[in-house]
């Protein structure tokens, strides 16, 4: 009897293993017969796309995401290896994840496609995965767009992420929701280094989840950016697939490319896994600007069902300040400074709530909405809140005023621009072709973009000279940022400009040929908005300029000076900008150069723009006109 029992205990696992192997072989054969590896749903789970050579490859760069050594480029090998892994014995402890728990979206897809027999391929429970699902408890998803933030290279095109609606919150308090965010993992503080490494894929990009209130604190409060939420029509099963695939993405990474495989692009394959019928991620091989990816989602029939705007906190503060009289405003500014708080007893009771809330707003604004301050700062905040709590009356609701200042991002013009123009300079005619990959210029149509802003990257302008029959690079822009923010005594934002690229040193040549050099210039200053029905923005700044090229003696020059200008955009189809300045070059090619430029843009239609420009540098002057199409 004992010998029989030992014989059974020895042979039973072998018999079971033999049965598992037979079933595994049957599933592998069925997958090959059904060509599952070519199913778009399987390729979507692997983030596989065809490259320019027509070969399939995954954009996932973390090797731990693949179970086959050839999985990054071979969907069939990865499918085969995945099936084998699903037959692995259960782990010895609950902290270790079985392949079924590591890849729940893959498991559900193959289970449905191959009809897994639970008695021959037992489902392995994953307590960690279940706990994660229960903690998030998602029953709805919104795509959130954060408007551009020019002061940070990582955010100057805008940003998108997903808001995960928690069932328990019931939509009553979105602050309790979570978010799914894709971002570069870096501690880089140098903006230029971040931009260069971001362009070259020098950082890993990872998915992460954070509470929504943290994103609001970062974007709405600290960076003064508006948020736009677009609810997505996802079924319970689609939300389950999205979340399971998000779980699969958690441990791995993608090489982060600032212009293509960026924060916005990586959300599109995620949505394609949730809704296999969608095709969102195609056509972004050379640029994926957040507002363009947003427009792609909004163009999908029935996907986006509702839109909500969440104004930046600064808009609420300024709307509340607009309700104050000059005397009340002076009291608020006094109350927000360190020291004993002034008494509000001299004001009518119905105004005191507004006064204390405004004082608290201004104090928080002055301290950049930091989460943690010094003990003195935190004591001041508590004191202001305590005084506010002693006033039972509500403060005036300024939501309508704050919302009125918002413009939906999807109304903006397309981010690319192609221009064909003609002109004359130094007595010679020329034709020009300009291609701008992104994003916006001062004289472009304004809706959907920050007023008084220019952000141009990778812009090329070619010129053909009629008399000499020569074609040349007129200007090559790597990055050109111009931010005009009218000075506000509370917000205190400077106006500034930065340019890096190739340009012509017109002051060195009278002819429109020659003078090409690499230049880095920029400056900072102040701007102000004029009152009245036809307001304009006036500005002045201190500039520095450095050039490098054979056009200069010593092959370089460095100088500094000043610029003043005006931007007028009060008449909807026409915008005019004009500026002039002088730079004294004290090192290298010593000289003093004056420059002025006047540009007008006339929006013929939402996609067509007529642009004229007159400029003078030293004794060289030229005039040009171009017809531009936004693409």
């Amino acid at each position: 009897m004992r010998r029989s029992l030992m014989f059974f205990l020895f042979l039973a696992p072998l018999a079971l293993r033999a049965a598992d192997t037979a079933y595994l072989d049957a599933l592998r054969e069925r997958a090959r017969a059904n060509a599952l590896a070519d199913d778009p749903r399987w390729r979507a789970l692997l983030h596989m796309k065809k490259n320019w050579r027509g070969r399939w490859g995954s954009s996932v760069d973390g090797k731990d995401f693949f179970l086959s050594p050839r999985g990054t480029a071979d969907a069939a090998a990865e499918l085969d290896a995945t099936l084998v892994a699903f037959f692995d014995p259960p782990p010895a402890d609950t902290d270790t994840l079985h392949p079924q728990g590591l890849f729940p979206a893959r498991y559900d897809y193959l289970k449905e496609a191959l009809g897994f027999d639970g008695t021959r391929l037992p489902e392995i429970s994953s307590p960690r995965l279940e706990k994660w699902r229960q903690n998030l408890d998602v029953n709805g998803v919104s795509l959130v767009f954060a408007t551009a933030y020019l002061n940070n290279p990582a955010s100057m095109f805008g940003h998108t992420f997903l808001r995960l609606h928690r069932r328990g919150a019931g939509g009553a308090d979105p602050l309790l929701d979570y978010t799914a965010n894709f971002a570069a993992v870096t501690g880089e503080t140098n903006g230029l280094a971040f931009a260069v490494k971001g362009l070259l894929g020098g950082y890993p990009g990872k998915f992460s989840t954070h509470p929504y209130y943290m994103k609001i604190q970062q974007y709405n409060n600290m960076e003064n950016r508006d948020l736009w939420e677009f609810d997505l029509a996802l079924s319970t099963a689609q939300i389950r697939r999205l979340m399971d695939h998000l779980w699969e993405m958690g441990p791995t990474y993608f090489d982060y490319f600032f212009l293509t495989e960026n924060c916005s692009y990586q959300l599109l394959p995620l949505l394609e896994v949730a809704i296999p019928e969608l095709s969102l991620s195609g056509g972004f091989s050379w640029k994926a600007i957040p507002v363009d990816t947003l427009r792609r989602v909004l163009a999908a029939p029935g996907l986006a069902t509702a839109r909500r705007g969440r104004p930046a906190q600064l808009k609420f503060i300024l709307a509340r300040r607009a309700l104050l009289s000059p005397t009340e405003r002076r009291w608020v500014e006094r109350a927000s400074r360190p020291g004993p708080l002034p008494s509000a007893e001299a004001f009518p009771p119905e105004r005191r709530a507004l006064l204390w809330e405004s004082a608290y707003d201004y104090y928080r604004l002055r301290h950049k909405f930091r989460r943690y301050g010094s003990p003195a700062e935190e004591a001041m905040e508590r004191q202001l809140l305590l005084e506010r709590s002693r006033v039972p009356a509500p403060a005036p609701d300024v939501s309508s005023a704050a919302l009125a200042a918002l413009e939906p991002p999807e109304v903006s013009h397309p981010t690319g621009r192609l221009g064909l123009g003609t002109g004359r300079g130094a007595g010679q005619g020329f034709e020009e072709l300009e291609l701008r990959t992104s994003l916006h210029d001062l004289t472009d149509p304004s809706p959907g973009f920050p007023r008084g802003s220019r952000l141009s990257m990778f812009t090329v302008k070619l010129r053909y000279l009629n008399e000499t029959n020569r074609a040349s690079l007129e200007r090559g822009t790597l990055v050109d940022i111009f931010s005009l923010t009218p000075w506000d005594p509370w917000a205190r934002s400077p106006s500034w400009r930065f340019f890096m690229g190739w340009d012509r040193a017109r002051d060195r040549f009278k002819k429109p040929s020659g003078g090409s050099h690499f230049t880095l210039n920029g400056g900072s200053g102040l701007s102000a908005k004029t009152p009245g029905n036809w307001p304009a923005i006036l500005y002045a700044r201190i500039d520095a300029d450095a050039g490098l090229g054979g056009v200069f003696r010593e092959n370089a020059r460095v100088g500094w000076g000043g610029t003043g200008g005006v931007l007028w955009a009060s008449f909807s189809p026409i915008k005019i900008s004009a500026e002039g300045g002088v730079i004294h070059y004290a090192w290298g090619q010593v000289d003093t150069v004056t420059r002025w430029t006047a540009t007008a843009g006339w929006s013929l239609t939402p996609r067509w723009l007529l642009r004229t420009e007159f400029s003078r540098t030293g004794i060289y002057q030229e005039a040009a006109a171009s017809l531009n199409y936004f693409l």
Side-chain angles (χ1 to χ4, degrees):
M1 181 64 186
R2 185 174 181 181
R3 285 186 177 182
S4 299
L5 179 59
M6 292 297 292
F7 179 78
F8 175 79
L9 293 175
F10 177 74
L11 289 183
L14 296 180
L16 180 60
R17 182 64 184 173
D20 289 345
T21 303
Y23 187 50
L24 170 60
D25 290 342
L27 291 177
R28 296 164 81 177
E29 180 55 33
R30 199 181 306 165
R32 282 192 287 270
N34 294 337
L36 285 190
D38 297 329
D39 187 343
R41 291 178 295 173
W42 176 252
R43 293 193 187 277
L45 286 168
L46 303 181
H47 291 241
M48 279 194 164
K49 298 283 184 185
K50 274 188 178 178
N51 61 21
W52 61 274
R53 293 179 297 178
R55 296 178 180 174
W56 288 98
S58 174
S59 59
V60 179
D61 295 289
K63 300 305 179 189
D64 53 350
F65 183 70
F66 301 99
L67 297 171
S68 165
R70 295 182 286 119
T72 185
D74 190 336
E78 185 62 19
L79 193 152
D80 200 61
T82 301
L83 282 174
V84 173
F86 284 168
F87 279 80
D88 283 355
D93 58 87
T94 57
D95 290 334
T96 303
L97 284 169
H98 187 272
Q100 294 182 21
L102 276 170
F103 300 102
R106 292 190 196 185
Y107 179 81
D108 284 346
Y109 165 75
L110 292 174
K111 180 181 178 182
E112 177 188 347
L114 297 174
F116 286 167
D117 181 346
T119 62
R120 303 183 69 182
L121 175 56
E123 193 162 313
I124 310 298
S125 64
S126 302
R128 284 174 54 189
L129 172 60
E130 289 303 322
K131 184 177 180 182
W132 184 77
R133 286 171 174 161
Q134 292 170 7
N135 286 342
L136 296 182
D137 194 22
V138 177
N139 71 340
V141 178
S142 297
L143 178 64
V144 184
F145 179 88
T147 55
Y149 180 57
L150 295 180
N151 292 328
N152 185 345
S155 304
M156 55 189 180
F157 287 128
H159 179 61
T160 56
F161 58 94
L162 297 179
R163 174 187 156 198
L164 309 173
H165 301 226
R166 294 185 68 199
R167 195 184 317 274
D173 191 351
L175 297 180
L176 300 178
D177 289 340
Y178 273 80
T179 62
N181 187 61
F182 181 83
V185 180
T186 171
E188 184 65 67
T189 57
N190 185 310
L192 182 60
F194 178 86
V196 172
K197 294 179 74 173
L199 289 171
L200 300 176
Y203 298 112
K206 302 197 69 168
F207 281 99
S208 60
T209 56
H210 298 283
Y212 192 34
Y213 68 81
M214 291 180 64
K215 293 297 177 185
I216 291 175
Q217 165 71 358
Q218 177 186 353
Y219 297 134
N220 256 171
N221 299 344
M222 298 176 69
E223 297 179 354
N224 287 323
R225 302 165 66 179
D226 302 323
L227 296 178
W228 286 94
E229 300 178 2
F230 299 85
D231 290 345
L232 302 180
L234 299 182
S235 67
T236 301
Q238 289 164 345
I239 292 173
R240 168 72 174 244
R241 275 199 295 273
L242 185 145
M243 295 305 297
D244 282 356
H245 190 54
L246 186 62
W247 168 268
E248 293 176 345
M249 294 288 96
T252 193
Y253 70 93
F254 302 72
D255 289 342
Y256 187 93
F257 289 90
F258 190 53
L259 289 181
T260 53
E261 297 179 18
N262 55 26
C263 59
S264 281
Y265 171 81
Q266 295 295 0
L267 296 182
L268 303 182
L270 192 63
L271 293 173
E272 289 173 338
V273 169
I275 310 177
E277 298 78 15
L278 286 178
S279 179
L280 300 173
S281 60
F284 291 107
S285 56
W286 62 292
K287 67 165 184 172
I289 306 296
V291 71
D292 289 335
T293 65
L294 170 65
R295 275 194 272 258
R296 181 69 61 84
V297 170
L298 298 181
L303 181 56
T305 58
R307 181 185 67 198
R308 290 180 299 277
R310 178 182 285 272
Q313 186 62 24
L314 181 61
K315 287 187 171 65
F316 285 97
I317 293 174
L318 297 183
R320 203 167 283 129
R321 188 186 68 182
L323 302 178
L324 300 173
S325 67
T327 302
E328 291 172 332
R329 182 168 164 173
R330 285 193 294 272
W331 183 93
V332 166
E333 292 170 351
R334 169 66 189 87
S336 65
R337 289 197 292 267
L341 293 177
S343 170
E345 294 301 317
F347 297 97
E350 65 272 16
R351 301 292 291 176
R352 294 173 194 166
L354 173 64
L355 292 172
W356 286 116
E357 289 195 13
S358 296
Y360 178 74
D361 283 346
Y362 187 36
Y363 185 82
R364 293 280 290 156
L365 179 65
R366 289 179 57 203
H367 292 83
K368 312 294 184 186
F369 291 95
R370 286 193 295 267
R371 186 177 180 184
Y372 301 108
S374 67
E377 291 171 354
E378 293 184 358
M380 181 74 174
E381 279 190 39
R382 286 194 298 272
Q383 189 61 34
L384 287 169
L385 290 174
L386 181 62
E387 294 295 337
R388 169 63 186 93
S389 68
R390 289 171 177 158
V391 181
D397 185 5
V398 294
S399 301
S400 298
L403 285 168
L406 294 187
E407 287 179 335
E410 70 271 21
V411 303
S412 60
H413 61 71
T415 54
R417 196 181 75 183
L418 180 66
L420 184 63
T422 186
R424 194 167 185 83
Q428 185 171 181
F430 58 82
E431 282 75 46
E432 288 184 335
L433 177 67
E434 183 180 40
L435 175 62
R436 187 188 71 193
T437 61
S438 61
L439 177 76
H440 180 66
D441 199 357
L442 290 175
T443 54
D444 288 347
S446 295
F449 288 103
R451 297 294 189 271
S453 70
R454 173 167 67 214
L455 174 55
S456 175
M457 290 188 72
F458 301 108
T459 301
V460 175
K461 180 187 283 188
L462 304 175
R463 176 172 289 189
Y464 180 79
L465 302 173
N466 296 330
E467 292 186 3
T468 59
N469 294 322
R470 288 185 55 193
S472 60
L473 174 66
E474 173 63 16
R475 176 179 265 205
T477 302
L478 294 177
V479 61
D480 183 3
I481 308 175
F482 191 8
S483 176
L484 275 178
T485 307
W487 179 257
D488 183 278
W490 283 25
R492 301 184 179 188
S493 298
S495 295
W496 57 279
R497 185 182 181 232
F498 177 80
F499 177 90
M500 180 170 64
W502 287 264
D503 203 355
R504 298 279 175 181
R506 294 298 187 198
D507 55 295
R508 308 308 310 155
F509 292 88
K510 297 180 181 178
K511 296 287 185 183
S513 60
S516 180
H517 68 290
F518 182 80
T519 181
L520 187 70
N521 59 63
S524 182
L526 299 176
S527 61
K529 189 174 183 178
T530 62
N533 296 327
W534 305 89
I537 300 177
L538 306 175
Y539 61 91
R541 66 170 186 268
I542 297 173
D543 289 326
D545 181 70
L548 185 66
V551 67
F552 308 120
R553 287 197 303 267
E554 313 293 340
N555 295 318
R557 68 179 180 183
V558 176
W560 54 85
T563 298
V566 59
L567 172 65
W568 184 77
S570 297
F571 182 59
S572 178
I574 297 177
K575 300 174 75 174
I576 298 173
S577 72
E579 70 171 31
V582 59
I583 297 287
H584 174 66
Y585 295 98
W587 185 85
Q589 179 76 55
V590 177
D591 202 354
T592 298
V593 180
T594 58
R595 301 186 179 95
W596 64 264
T597 303
T599 307
W602 183 8
S603 300
L604 303 176
T605 71
R607 287 213 171 213
W608 288 97
L609 174 76
L610 180 62
R611 196 167 184 271
T612 59
E613 181 173 310
F614 303 90
S615 63
R616 182 183 178 99
T617 303
I619 62 172
Y620 175 84
Q621 58 185 8
E622 70 173 39
S626 62
L627 186 61
N628 299 268
Y629 179 73
F630 294 103
L631 68 167

